[in-house]
Amino acid sequence: MLAAAIAVAAPLRAQPDAPAEPGPRHERPIGAPQAIGAVHTLRQIPEACTRLEGVFTGEPGQPYRMRAVPTAPNCQPRARYLAAAQAAPSQAGGWILDDLVRVPDAGCPSRQAAVQVWRKPGAAAPERDGQGQTRVYLEEARRQAAAGGAGTPALPQFTAVLELKGGSGCR
């Protein structure tokens, strides 16, 4: 019996400690180097009907620019995309670091655009019926909207934070 207890406890003790601050849920490999002026997609956020685009500008004041672009006019968003200044993402505020995308500058490989994509889960999903479906009834939704949205679940939110790393010796 003692041998069995030691056999179970030894592998548990050998496990490494969890990191103090968790990294992103998805960390992509470094992207292909991009030339100045070449617009490229950083990440699609299909839930928010948004695509993040970036471009190296070649301007000393703002060497990289990122913007959120709607993907399709008829897309029905299931989440909201907020500007980083408006969202102010942090783990303390309930945001989860979802993705890290890095793109190097082709003219200056030491310069990288690092984009952190943050996600804030929405309210709990409505209950499912006996068939396992979530149902939204038109009249009920209209009543909730007329009452100022009371009772409607909050949508998940996404935001992205841009940071330019390296490239101090580049022009």
Side-chain angles (χ1 to χ4, degrees):
M1 183 120 124
L2 181 61
I6 291 173
V8 170
L12 292 176
R13 191 186 60 199
Q15 292 178 353
D17 293 333
E21 196 167 309
R25 287 186 34 204
H26 308 285
E27 186 167 349
R28 301 172 191 270
I30 295 176
Q34 298 294 320
I36 290 178
V39 177
H40 50 275
T41 297
L42 295 163
R43 182 167 187 262
Q44 298 266 5
I45 305 174
E47 300 91 342
C49 301
T50 302
R51 179 180 70 246
L52 298 176
E53 288 183 344
V55 62
F56 284 99
T57 64
E59 300 169 9
Q62 187 180 17
Y64 191 82
R65 195 172 306 135
M66 178 184 72
R67 67 184 189 138
V69 179
T71 55
N74 59 349
C75 181
Q76 298 293 318
R78 299 177 313 275
R80 292 179 52 206
Y81 180 82
L82 302 172
Q86 180 185 2
S90 70
Q91 289 179 345
W95 290 86
I96 299 167
L97 182 56
D98 196 51
D99 204 351
L100 177 61
V101 180
R102 294 170 301 200
V103 179
D105 183 346
C108 179
S110 65
R111 178 184 297 150
Q112 281 187 3
V115 177
Q116 296 177 343
V117 179
W118 293 80
R119 177 179 55 86
K120 186 173 189 178
E127 292 183 29
R128 296 186 180 271
D129 65 9
Q131 296 176 341
Q133 301 294 316
T134 301
R135 308 244 185 232
V136 177
Y137 296 98
L138 182 59
E139 288 304 316
E140 184 179 329
R142 283 184 181 160
R143 274 195 312 275
Q144 288 175 347
T152 57
L155 291 176
Q157 298 174 357
F158 285 87
T159 192
V161 177
L162 169 65
E163 182 181 359
L164 202 59
K165 296 182 177 184
S168 59
C170 299
R171 294 183 184 228

